[in-house]
Amino acid sequence: MVPKTSPFERLREKFEETELACRQCGYHDTDGGWRVTTSGSRVQYQFVCSSCSAVDTREMRL
C-alpha cells in the first residue's frame, strides 16, 4: 500500500468514499470527485454535482 502524501489528501479521499451524493438533488455521482484548493491559511474541498451543478463546499482553516 502506498502511503498518503498528506492529511489533506486523506481527507479528500474520505469525502470521495462517503460524500458523493448531492445534497440538492440526491444524485449519487460515482464518476465525480472532490477538488482541493488552498489559499494561505485555508483548504477548500469542493464537489460539483454532474446532474444539477449544485456546489458543495467544505473549508478548513489552518
Side-chain angles (χ1 to χ4, degrees):
M1 185 171 160
V2 177
K4 304 302 178 212
T5 57
S6 73
F8 302 113
E9 180 66 21
R10 289 193 299 270
L11 184 55
R12 183 190 61 79
E13 288 180 355
K14 180 69 173 170
F15 285 150
E16 289 185 349
E17 290 174 7
T18 61
E19 304 279 336
L20 291 179
C22 177
R23 291 181 178 198
Q24 296 295 317
C25 72
Y27 179 72
H28 186 77
D29 192 352
T30 58
D31 294 326
W34 287 80
R35 182 177 60 203
V36 181
T37 57
T38 61
S39 60
S41 64
R42 296 175 188 218
V43 179
Q44 189 175 71
Y45 296 85
Q46 193 172 61
F47 177 78
V48 179
C49 178
S50 61
S51 177
C52 72
S53 299
V55 178
D56 188 3
T57 302
R58 311 283 170 82
E59 183 176 280
M60 295 180 62
R61 294 180 189 189
L62 305 175

